[in-house]
């Protein structure tokens, strides 16, 4: 009996040690995400790039990937709110976004509904001079929230594993109340 109890305690300890720990980032007044603490959070490197219509928020970096998060407040997004939009307006947003993109090749991949409120993120694959990446974007009240995901090895193409990391992070997205 002692051996069984010891084995159970040991198994529980191993499970606790091996389970992924979670951390949170709160973009005050905007949203909150939960991420695996295997990521390093950098929320200072590109603050000097902020402008009136662009705000870099943070990036998450692990051994292979980087997920860069920013806000786009440009006039392009004025009046757009994807969560409440009818399907025709959502398609118009995608068509306009694809037509306006400059700097490489972009393809619409899918809509991912994030968090408990099912916030629609439109996911695009991008190929440009720096390599391939994914962009997940949602727009609410004229403000776009952008999550760019790419490999640190820029020669490595964006693939299903990268998309899975991105959607795993998006799944925890909760807007501020």
């Amino acid at each position: 009996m002692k051996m069984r109890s010891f084995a159970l305690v040991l198994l529980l300890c191993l499970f606790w040690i091996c389970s992924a720990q979670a951390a949170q980032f709160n973009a005050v007044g905007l949203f909150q995400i939960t991420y695996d603490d295997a990521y390093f959070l950098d929320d200072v490197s590109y603050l000097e790039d902020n402008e009136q219509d662009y705000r870099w928020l943070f990036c998450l970096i692990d051994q292979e990937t980087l997920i860069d998060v920013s806000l786009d407040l440009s006039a392009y997004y004025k009046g757009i709110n994807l969560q409440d939009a009818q399907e025709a307006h959502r398609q118009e947003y995608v068509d306009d976004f694809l037509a306006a993109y400059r700097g490489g090749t972009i393809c619409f991949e899918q809509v991912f509904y994030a968090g408990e409120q099912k916030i629609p993120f439109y996911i695009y694959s991008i190929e440009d001079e720096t390599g391939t990446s994914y962009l997940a974007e949602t727009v609410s009240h004229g403000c776009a929230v952008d999550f760019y995901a790419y490999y640190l090895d820029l020669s490595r193409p964006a693939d299903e594993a990268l998309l899975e990391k991105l959607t795993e992070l998006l799944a925890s997205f909760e807007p501020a109340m």
Side-chain angles (χ1 to χ4, degrees), residues 31-35 60 67 69 110-116 118-123 134-138 145-149 163-175:
F31 65 87
Q32 176 178 299
I33 59 159
T34 302
Y35 58 92
L60 295 171
I67 299 175
V69 182
Q110 69 182 52
V111 178
F112 181 83
Y113 293 93
E116 291 180 16
K118 305 295 183 202
I119 305 299
F121 275 87
Y122 287 72
I123 299 178
Y134 288 108
L135 164 62
E137 179 174 85
T138 193
V145 180
D146 294 331
F147 285 71
Y148 285 92
L163 183 59
E164 188 175 313
K165 282 186 174 190
L166 176 60
T167 56
E168 185 178 287
L169 180 63
L170 292 175
S172 74
F173 182 92
E174 291 298 334

Side-chain angles (χ1 to χ4, degrees), residues 25-32 57 71 140-141 143 145 173-177:
F25 180 84
N26 187 358
V28 179
L30 299 170
F31 65 87
Q32 176 178 299
L57 297 176
L71 301 177
S140 180
H141 307 291
C143 175
V145 180
F173 182 92
E174 291 298 334
M177 296 297 166

Side-chain angles (χ1 to χ4, degrees), residues 137-162:
E137 179 174 85
T138 193
V139 182
S140 180
H141 307 291
C143 175
V145 180
D146 294 331
F147 285 71
Y148 285 92
Y150 50 92
Y151 286 111
L152 296 174
D153 175 359
L154 296 177
S155 67
R156 187 172 172 188
D159 58 13
E160 197 64 35
L162 181 62

Side-chain angles (χ1 to χ4, degrees), residues 6 8 14 26 28 31 35 42 55 63 65 73 75 82 89 100-101 107 123 128 141-142 158 166 176-177:
F6 176 77
L8 181 59
L14 286 173
N26 187 358
V28 179
F31 65 87
Y35 58 92
D42 176 359
R55 300 283 185 275
Q63 293 179 348
T65 58
L73 306 165
L82 292 176
H89 289 111
Y101 184 79
C107 296
I123 299 178
D128 60 22
H141 307 291
L166 176 60
M177 296 297 166

